[in-house]
Amino acid sequence: MHKPAAEEEITSLHDLSAVDLIAGYRARQFSPSEVLDEVIEHVAAWEPHIKALYLFDPDGARAAAKASTDRWQREEPAGALDGVPVTIKDNIATKGQPIPLGAASVRLIPAEKDAPPAARLRESGAIIFSKTTMPDYGMLSSGLSSFHPLTRNPWDLTKNPGGSSAGAGAAGAAGYGPLHLGTDIGGSVRLPACWCGLVALKPSLGRVPIDPPYVGRVAGPMTRTVDDAALMMCVLAKADRRDGMSLPADSSIHWKTLDKSPRKLRIGLMLDPGTGQALESDVRSVIVSAAKTFESAGAVVTEVDGILTREMLDGLDNFWRARMWDDLSRLSPEERGKTLPYILKWAEAGAKLSGVDVIRGFNATMAIRAAAAKLFHDLDYVVSPVSPVVNFPAEFAAPINDPSKPFEHIAYTVPWNMSENPAVSINGGYDSKGFPIGVQIIGRRFDDLGVLGMAKAFEGLRGPQRPWPSPPKK
């Protein structure tokens, strides 16, 4: 599937990082139009196999790239990402385009304006050439959707890219340019990053303004390198008053300053989240190796217990079922019937929950927050798996694929949404077949820069990476 290192070609423009693209534009080595043409050509080779895109707009993108090329020729770039190709997840509003939320039951109504993350990217000069796919209502860690075609993993087309930022993960691994924007309420940028070999930051709640805001819901970068994630955050973390849960703009944060030594830092190694799906041995090996890497660099590593309980996870499940049923119950029976059967069966159970059941479920968020605060009292960072499993079939809605047990695989990721801590996924190694396995690094609330700094340190210590997947030969 992959070319041996000796046979690798010179890096193509579509494989260059955003940092390198900006440097190349500034040095006039190539133009945004040339880069976009290569990306479009590469998309044509991959897209029939992985189905990562929605509303792909090559003509509109070419016009934007031409305008960017003209700006660079005048040495007047619009912003930090001028001319860099970007994809945006289906559920992040872009003006004039519908927001199907991955569900055939959603009415296709054009958005009146860009959501904050899309607005910041557009203002920076980024070339938004496509939206990306997601599962119904973002409530699956899967590329399965009732609206979009099945999205597959470029590393192995029989496997799932994860979700709910499914198309973003697949597009990143396939080399559809360097920058992809996803959202995460329980693991939805980190899980696809884990299964697609990418870097993905779930910021502290409010660090990236988003509309509509919600408990635990964030937007975050999905990239191939830590530097690109930091560059994207330079743009995404700017203020927007539409998000009443957003943090005040902090001019003291310099996202490009990622130099950080693990020396003398206190790191917790969390191999057991406290509940959920059993940890597979290949994943355990990669995470233990990552912890030893930090230890060799001078960190003090201690194994710690997980903070999630069965009651907490089941409580979140009940709360989300009720929330989903609230949305679906407002639809006509015909519209509701278009929902993915797995999601419909899962949500219908929410109709049978009492008000007390639902409020107990919501209160799990506060219990998780208290447990996280206690955990980080004596720790600087925590290292853990992102997913308990290496991969699962492309056609599955989730690793277990049972709507009565929908969230057994998010026990390592969902606590940090509810506690609002920043967490990053970065590739840590591979299984025997060369499939990527992500490592999660979690920091204290608001220490987004520190989490990226730790990921950058690990990126330099983890050793050589396998080549990215190549499109299947016709």
Side-chain angles (χ1 to χ4, degrees), residues 8-27:
E8 283 189 78
E9 300 172 358
I10 296 173
T11 303
S12 301
L13 293 180
H14 64 76
D15 275 331
L16 288 178
S17 70
V19 171
D20 287 340
L21 287 181
I22 294 297
Y25 296 156
R26 185 170 287 115

Side-chain angles (χ1 to χ4, degrees), residues 22-321:
I22 294 297
Y25 296 156
R26 185 170 287 115
R28 300 197 177 190
Q29 294 174 330
F30 43 77
S31 71
S33 291
E34 291 171 312
V35 170
L36 182 70
D37 284 343
E38 276 213 16
V39 169
I40 290 172
E41 182 180 356
H42 196 62
V43 167
W46 260 119
E47 190 60 10
H49 305 283
I50 62 173
K51 307 289 187 184
L53 301 184
Y54 169 60
L55 297 179
F56 178 42
D57 181 17
D59 292 337
R62 287 191 179 101
K66 174 63 168 61
S68 176
T69 296
D70 292 343
R71 290 192 295 271
W72 278 107
Q73 288 177 344
R74 298 193 306 268
E75 297 184 354
E76 298 175 353
L81 300 179
D82 203 342
V84 179
V86 175
T87 70
I88 295 181
K89 188 176 177 181
D90 158 346
N91 65 339
I92 298 173
T94 45
K95 184 177 179 179
Q97 296 178 320
I99 314 166
L101 305 178
S105 51
V106 172
R107 297 168 190 169
L108 299 180
I109 301 171
E112 295 184 1
K113 59 181 66 176
D114 286 341
R120 299 295 86 76
L121 290 170
R122 207 184 298 277
E123 291 163 3
S124 75
I127 299 170
I128 302 170
F129 69 92
S130 187
K131 305 294 284 285
T132 51
T133 62
M134 63 182 285
D136 290 47
Y137 300 97
M139 293 310 299
L140 296 177
S141 300
S142 173
L144 186 64
S145 162
S146 63
F147 179 82
H148 300 296
L150 179 65
T151 303
R152 295 178 180 272
N153 194 314
W155 289 92
D156 182 339
L157 297 178
T158 70
K159 302 302 181 185
N160 211 294
S164 61
S165 304
Y176 289 14
L179 304 181
H180 307 275
L181 179 66
T183 62
D184 189 316
I185 199 171
S188 290
V189 298
R190 289 160 292 161
L191 286 163
C194 168
W195 291 317
C196 292
L198 301 175
V199 173
L201 174 67
K202 182 213 78 67
S204 299
L205 185 74
R207 180 70 70 200
V208 175
I210 194 168
D211 184 28
Y214 199 74
V215 176
R217 181 172 181 254
V218 302
M222 300 176 68
T223 63
R224 288 183 170 185
T225 69
V226 178
D227 281 344
D228 272 6
L231 178 61
M232 211 169 172
M233 285 297 291
C234 290
V235 171
L236 295 174
K238 293 180 179 179
D240 194 302
R241 292 183 179 179
R242 286 177 284 174
D243 184 354
M245 298 170 72
S246 64
L247 300 174
D250 189 346
S251 59
S252 68
I253 295 179
H254 299 287
W255 295 102
K256 296 180 183 178
T257 308
L258 296 181
D259 292 336
K260 191 175 186 72
S261 170
R263 182 173 169 77
K264 295 186 178 180
L265 292 177
R266 299 163 299 177
I267 297 178
L269 171 61
M270 183 182 290
L271 294 172
D272 182 353
T275 191
Q277 206 164 346
L279 183 63
E280 292 183 356
S281 60
D282 283 347
V283 180
R284 174 183 285 271
S285 295
V286 166
I287 306 309
V288 169
S289 176
K292 289 180 178 178
T293 297
F294 281 122
E295 196 168 45
S296 297
V300 179
V301 179
T302 307
E303 191 162 347
V304 297
D305 293 331
I307 64 171
L308 199 68
T309 66
R310 182 78 257 168
E311 183 180 13
M312 291 172 179
L313 189 58
D314 288 346
L316 291 176
D317 184 7
N318 283 341
F319 173 63
W320 281 336
R321 284 179 197 254

